[in-house]
Amino acid sequence: MTITTTSLTRAAGGAAAVAGLLFIGVQVNHPAMDVSSVGSTEWVLRNTAKVVLSALALGGVTGMYLRQVRQTGWLGLVGWVLSAVGFLVMGSVAFVAAYVLPTLADTAPRYVDDVLVAASGGHPVGDIGLMQGVFLVSAVAYVGGGVTLGVALFRARVLARWAAALLAVGCGATVLLSVLPHSFERPMAVPTGVALIGLGVSLWRNATQTSAATTSADASSSDAAVPAVASAVR
């Protein structure tokens, strides 16, 4: 199989769409953020899915940025860097939640509870070390990257503008969670998931259309060259 720019762009679009679906799926009936839930099969599976969606989303936003690197300019670069950091940290936190916290739930339940409180935006009673800084970086990169990249994609006018706008609004709106009830935390992630799906599908279609247009142009050039060559021979 030959790897081409078109195939890579399509793969990035598919990755973004699947990431969006997973992003929404893991929010549905999410178990309570407490020590009793940690270590359950559902907890491990959901956080494993978060690791996967983080990797897919990273590939997706990278494909989006590279597809319109000239149109998005410096704003697009800043948005991509922040988004990349956000998804990398998100995947790292999900990995810790899935495979590290369960091993500590019995021996250090207070620490696990404090980590979960911090992850939910609360104030832990004890010291959780570097995890507090990790959560801060994750939040800043997620919000800043989503808003900046969404605005850059909206201005570039290459992919679906409604999805780009929804990405910016969805990520930016998460700052309201500090004043909204905890019950809003899961639904607030849905707009971002829908935006990733929309942008992924748009990127796939854009790559397909660009490839078809290029092929058609090449064919037209070849057809036009045949009479010219024949004329030169005569």
Side-chain angles (χ1 to χ4, degrees), residues 82-83 86 136-150 167-176:
L82 287 174
S83 295
L136 177 60
V137 171
S138 178
V140 172
Y142 174 78
V143 175
V147 172
T148 307
L149 185 62
L167 178 65
V169 173
C171 290
T174 56
V175 299
L176 298 176

Side-chain angles (χ1 to χ4, degrees), residues 130-157:
L130 294 177
M131 288 301 296
Q132 188 70 63
V134 170
F135 290 134
L136 177 60
V137 171
S138 178
V140 172
Y142 174 78
V143 175
V147 172
T148 307
L149 185 62
V151 171
L153 296 179
F154 183 84
R155 294 177 59 189
R157 298 176 177 269

Side-chain angles (χ1 to χ4, degrees), residues 12 15-16 19-20 52-64 83 87 90 196:
V52 174
L53 78 84
S54 298
L56 292 173
L58 176 58
V61 297
T62 299
M64 294 174 201
S83 295
F87 286 121
M90 181 187 297
L196 286 173

Side-chain angles (χ1 to χ4, degrees), residues 32-39 105-106 109-110 112-114 116:
M33 295 283 284
D34 54 43
V35 179
S36 62
S37 299
V38 175
D106 293 330
R110 290 186 178 180
V112 173
D113 185 62
D114 282 337
L116 296 177

Side-chain angles (χ1 to χ4, degrees), residues 6-7 9-15 17 159 198-210:
T6 299
S7 63
T9 304
R10 286 175 178 170
L159 303 182
L199 288 169
V201 172
S202 180
L203 183 61
W204 176 286
R205 290 178 174 175
N206 182 270
T208 302
Q209 293 169 354
T210 301

Side-chain angles (χ1 to χ4, degrees), residues 155-234:
R155 294 177 59 189
R157 298 176 177 269
V158 175
L159 303 182
R161 301 187 80 201
W162 69 266
L166 186 60
L167 178 65
V169 173
C171 290
T174 56
V175 299
L176 298 176
L177 290 174
S178 60
V179 297
L180 291 174
H182 182 68
S183 58
F184 282 82
E185 181 178 358
R186 301 300 170 187
M188 194 69 79
V190 174
T192 301
V194 174
L196 286 173
I197 295 172
L199 288 169
V201 172
S202 180
L203 183 61
W204 176 286
R205 290 178 174 175
N206 182 270
T208 302
Q209 293 169 354
T210 301
S211 178
T214 302
T215 301
S216 177
D218 290 342
S220 299
S221 298
S222 299
D223 292 341
V226 171
V229 170
S231 177
V233 171
R234 288 197 293 268

